[in-house]
Amino acid sequence: MSGPLTPEDVPFSWRPGCPVPPGQLRAIYLSYAGFDGRAHTGQIIVNASVVHQVIEVFSLLYRARFPISRMEPVDVFHGSDPRSMAADNTSGFNCRCAVTSGPPQWSMHAYGLAIDVNTIQNPYIELGSGVQPPAGAAYVDRSDIRPGMAYPGGILVSAFSSVGWGWGGNWADSPDYQHFSVNGR
């Protein structure tokens, strides 16, 4: 784990006006099992207040050999959530607005209090707009459970639930199967 981050550490995912300063964020290096069955090390940026919860979740996933495709800060994708999702990336902090109707509001990612996992295997179903990322269309049928997917009773949902986090797959209007956050939104 790193110490407090600086603006230079998050050049594309943070900007002045974001709801948390970089100093409130931490970069965590985590082991994960890849889809190739091998151990990998990735990096995820989260709020300092949830570091221990995130380490606990990913330790459970690693011990269960739950496969993760990729784990890099969204800055690798120049802060682009669509590019990060298209790369099947597992990521946390990104200072951006939530994808909701109504007036703009910060996403829980903007606070470092949300994580998206295996974005292709766990797509976001935008009501009336399609599937994000587009490659996730192959995983819309949630009854066809395959490696890397989040589903009720599965290790991914259970691991986050064990630390009190909610799952976007429970959203009735536009399920976001990749999304886990401290408040379930």
Side-chain angles (χ1 to χ4, degrees):
M1 179 177 74
S2 71
L5 299 187
T6 67
E8 292 76 26
D9 296 319
V10 283
F12 302 106
S13 61
W14 182 86
R15 62 190 174 284
C18 289
V20 296
Q24 204 171 327
L25 301 170
R26 300 293 182 275
I28 310 172
Y29 294 88
L30 299 166
S31 294
Y32 67 92
F35 279 86
D36 60 3
R38 298 175 54 202
H40 298 269
T41 300
Q43 182 186 49
I44 196 162
I45 296 175
V46 296
N47 193 293
S49 67
V50 298
V51 164
H52 295 293
Q53 292 174 348
V54 172
I55 290 171
E56 186 174 330
V57 165
F58 283 92
S59 293
L60 288 168
L61 296 175
Y62 184 73
R63 285 194 305 273
R65 306 306 287 171
F66 177 84
I68 293 174
S69 181
R70 183 176 187 164
M71 185 186 299
E72 297 182 284
V74 90
D75 281 278
V76 169
F77 305 93
H78 289 229
S80 170
D81 197 46
R83 285 200 308 230
S84 178
M85 284 192 299
D88 204 13
N89 188 43
T90 293
S91 65
F93 173 77
N94 191 9
C95 185
R96 62 176 176 81
C97 286
V99 182
T100 62
S101 57
Q105 55 185 305
W106 290 115
S107 164
M108 292 306 290
H109 291 280
Y111 297 92
L113 300 173
I115 295 175
D116 290 340
V117 179
N118 289 344
T119 52
I120 290 176
Q121 292 78 15
N122 300 302
Y124 171 48
I125 313 299
E126 285 186 276
L127 190 60
S129 299
V131 177
Q132 296 300 324
Y139 293 88
V140 170
D141 178 0
R142 303 310 286 178
S143 67
D144 182 13
I145 297 172
R146 291 170 275 166
M149 289 177 65
Y151 56 91
I155 185 63
L156 181 56
V157 174
S158 297
F160 277 101
S161 180
S162 76
V163 296
W165 285 37
W167 178 40
N170 290 326
W171 301 349
D173 52 349
S174 291
D176 192 351
Y177 297 111
Q178 63 196 249
H179 184 82
F180 296 88
S181 66
V182 295
N183 69 355
R185 290 306 302 160

